[in-house]
Amino acid sequence: MQNKGDIEIIGNEEGGNSEGFAEDREAGRRNEIGSNQKNVKQKNIELERMKQLVELLNEASKAYYAQDREIMSNQEYDSLYDELSALENKTGVILAGSPTVNVGYEAVDELPKERHESPMLSLDKTKSREDLRDWLQGNPAVLSWKLDGLTIVLTYRDGRLEKAVTRGNGEIGEVITNNARTFVNLPLNISFQGELVLRGEAVISYSDFEKINREIEDVEARYKNPRNLCSGSVRQLNNEITAKRNVRFYAFSLVSAEGADFHNSREEQFAFLEEQGFEAVEHYAVTEDNILDVIGLFEKKIEGYDIPSDGLVLTYENIAYGQSLGRTAKFPRHSIAFKWADEMRETTLKEIEWSASRTGLINPVAIFEPVELEGTTVSRASVHNISILKGLKLGLGDRITVYKANMIIPQIAENLTRSDSLEIPESCPVCGGRTEIRQVNEVQSLYCTNEECPAKRIKAFTLFVSRDAMNIDGLSEATLEKFIDRGFLHEYADLFHLDKYKEQIVEMEGFGEKSYRNLTDSIDRARNTTLPRLIYSLGIANIGAANAKMLCKYFDYDLKQMQDADVETLSAIDGVGEVIASAFVEYMRDGDNLRRLETLLGELQIEVPVVTEGSQTLSGLSFCITGSLNHFASRNDLKELIEQKGGKVTGSVTGKTTCLVNNDVTSSSSKNKKAKELGVAILSEEDFMKQYGLQADGS
């Protein structure tokens, strides 16, 4: 790779001492570059130290405040804090998550839309390394990762993050500034004071993705891939959720930097961004001579690379040259994307395994003769749904080609035979019940229609006993399957009467007196539970542990109130919405579900949170909050205070709303209009606190 200091000198033949002058100028330029490189190196060292300090101090705070333990003395903490503060003052950079700033959490009703100043085009693509080399046409370039997350445009003014907008459709994106402030490695303040606009990728690492999924007991509720999780996390209405997802930002392009001169060099732009505290995508200078070697370097790294990537990006080093090439209707000509040529193997389809879930969905899984792909042996690949299955025209014995998508997930690439002889089962492979094909958003999927299907019951019982639900140890999915097959379990309440089958259980493989005793002890402990755990354990569609807690809290932990609520009431609860509301009402209106729930309740003692007498001054009242506040750091803080006092906070104004809290009483916002239509009072924050006797300190 070419070193930045290795600058080719073209002599000026005019003038007697032109060669000497050129040498003097070049010597001066070399000195300037050397000095700049030294300064950049020093600043990079300081930024790395700042990152270490932020991590150390936050770890110490978490241990002290959340885990009741100390990992460093107060004196050591203060010393490190002072060091961080001094470095922030010196560099002009403040990293997101720094304990010297408080980002604060805020919920919004919707993400505002904004048109990009210039369209964000896609890149032309190739899978040929030779095509990539030929594309250079003798020009130097920069080769970097093509990260697989969500593209974000950031704007800084006066050294502060002013705006963050998603790529959206390339023309219009969503404003996610509050969420971006929680990205773990994003600088909130930078030393550059002019307007700075850059682009980068928001991503969630594979290790963080796996950690988040491990905490979700229900396998079906787990996230499918880091990109989808990242997209959902970045576009949250409540940035407190974003903050918990460990989203990172990697800069890949500088759009503009007011008044800055980068000597027409992409590499200098990258160096500038890193100097400001941004983490840039890993990148290397390349020429026709070394590009194949550098691609090989990336290829070696991809297998163990923790950041999702689906290829590489090649951009001309000479900024002016790249811009002079213009663009096509779809692509800019200054850059091109390189997609890994997937390693393909030909094999024979042996069978289709139909895998049933607790929702009734039956997924087709292709089983084929084992082949070596990307260093591992694979013999199965999900076909995902009936639409894809039909498109491939599969039949047993067909010759197919398989690959690993992004070098990770086995997929069928092509069916070479296309016999189209595969029959879609008319009966469930587990229970023999009738199946049906349902179409949602133009995608066809297969479902079992039998509500008593054992597969549904096995998955349902697995959720019921999971940690966030009833938390019963000793009941793996395999054990539950054995119990169901032997007729021990028909509904949830049967778990609390396994003593009837003690002799049979003790004789089962893997069991004995001790295992049986441990299991029954765990079941007895589960009899004392909470209403949120119970609601989550029922496996109501779209209702996870967090939603269950939210619903129970809203209804003061009164199950009867919850069961009597209609879709409109439930939909008005902040964070619920019509989909969850409809699923809950449908479940609670079903006679069989109610009978089973009543039987189960006879086995349980439901703990109800203790409320201090006289503290519930807002009991029975419902409020809606909008706009900015003066006495509270965020609307969530006011919401928590109202809920502590027994009140409820909804995300929209309905006929049951007591009042709308909005400091802009005269605004023409949709909520103000709705309140006026329904005759709901609109109070400023000040008037609201006076009327209901509230203080910002919670008293």
Side-chain angles (χ1 to χ4, degrees), residues 453-473:
C453 177
K456 292 183 183 180
R457 281 195 287 156
I458 292 167
K459 300 292 185 182
F461 271 98
T462 301
L463 173 65
F464 184 83
V465 304
S466 65
R467 185 182 61 191
D468 289 337
M470 302 306 289
N471 195 24
I472 301 175
D473 290 329

Side-chain angles (χ1 to χ4, degrees), residues 210-499:
E210 290 163 3
K211 181 181 178 182
I212 291 168
N213 262 351
R214 279 198 301 270
E215 294 172 355
I216 302 173
E217 293 285 347
D218 183 2
V219 174
E220 292 183 31
R222 290 177 179 171
Y223 299 99
K224 303 304 179 187
N225 56 61
R227 188 189 187 284
N228 288 355
L229 174 59
C230 181
S231 179
S233 301
V234 169
R235 300 172 62 250
Q236 281 289 330
L237 297 181
N238 186 342
N239 69 339
E240 187 170 5
I241 297 173
T242 310
K244 295 175 181 176
R245 301 285 174 79
N246 236 22
V247 180
R248 297 178 178 275
F249 177 86
Y250 291 92
F252 61 65
S253 173
L254 192 152
V255 178
S256 62
E258 186 179 17
D261 181 9
F262 301 108
H263 304 102
N264 203 31
S265 166
R266 292 281 180 192
E267 281 198 273
E268 289 203 23
Q269 285 186 338
F270 271 122
F272 168 78
L273 290 173
E274 290 173 344
E275 186 182 348
Q276 298 304 313
F278 297 100
E279 286 193 53
V281 292
E282 185 177 353
H283 56 281
Y284 296 91
V286 294
T287 63
E288 286 182 340
D289 295 332
N290 72 345
I291 187 170
L292 297 183
D293 291 336
V294 178
I295 293 173
L297 176 68
F298 278 109
E299 187 178 26
K300 288 178 182 177
K301 290 188 175 186
I302 185 66
E303 191 170 338
Y305 196 51
D306 198 31
I307 306 300
S309 168
D310 56 355
L312 305 172
V313 174
L314 185 63
T315 303
Y316 287 121
E317 157 68 3
N318 186 310
I319 298 171
Y321 174 72
Q323 291 175 342
S324 72
L325 299 175
R327 48 178 264 196
T328 67
K330 294 176 64 178
F331 311 119
R333 290 194 173 100
H334 57 64
S335 300
I336 188 172
F338 172 76
K339 305 284 284 186
W340 299 109
D342 301 301
E343 185 179 359
M344 295 279 187
R345 290 289 183 271
E346 188 176 323
T347 184
T348 301
L349 180 66
K350 294 169 60 180
E351 63 175 301
I352 292 291
E353 179 184 283
W354 297 92
S355 177
S357 71
R358 70 177 175 86
T359 61
L361 178 66
I362 303 175
N363 290 312
V365 179
I367 311 297
F368 44 81
E369 293 288 348
V371 290
E372 287 289 322
L373 278 177
E374 312 292 353
T376 61
T377 302
V378 295
S379 59
R380 53 195 292 131
S382 174
V383 189
H384 303 293
N385 54 55
I386 299 300
S387 294
I388 293 175
L389 188 86
K390 288 180 176 179
L392 288 168
K393 296 186 181 299
L394 291 173
L396 301 187
D398 284 1
R399 294 295 291 174
I400 59 175
T401 57
V402 294
Y403 70 104
K404 280 188 178 180
N406 291 335
M407 306 176 81
I408 298 169
I409 305 167
Q411 302 281 305
I412 296 177
E414 187 181 2
N415 181 6
L416 304 175
T417 309
R418 298 181 71 80
S419 68
D420 200 16
S421 58
L422 190 71
E423 294 185 5
I424 297 171
E426 296 180 354
S427 58
C428 173
V430 177
C431 70
R434 184 178 63 85
T435 63
E436 68 178 19
I437 296 175
R438 300 174 190 169
Q439 184 160 319
V440 180
N441 296 328
E442 300 182 1
V443 174
Q444 293 184 336
S445 299
L446 189 67
Y447 286 84
C448 171
T449 60
N450 176 18
E451 290 301 322
E452 299 301 318
C453 177
K456 292 183 183 180
R457 281 195 287 156
I458 292 167
K459 300 292 185 182
F461 271 98
T462 301
L463 173 65
F464 184 83
V465 304
S466 65
R467 185 182 61 191
D468 289 337
M470 302 306 289
N471 195 24
I472 301 175
D473 290 329
L475 285 174
S476 65
E477 187 169 311
T479 299
L480 287 167
E481 184 175 359
K482 291 176 184 176
F483 285 4
I484 290 170
D485 286 345
R486 297 187 181 208
F488 300 169
L489 301 174
H490 300 279
E491 56 185 87
Y492 298 138
D494 294 337
L495 278 165
F496 300 94
H497 297 282
L498 286 175
D499 55 315

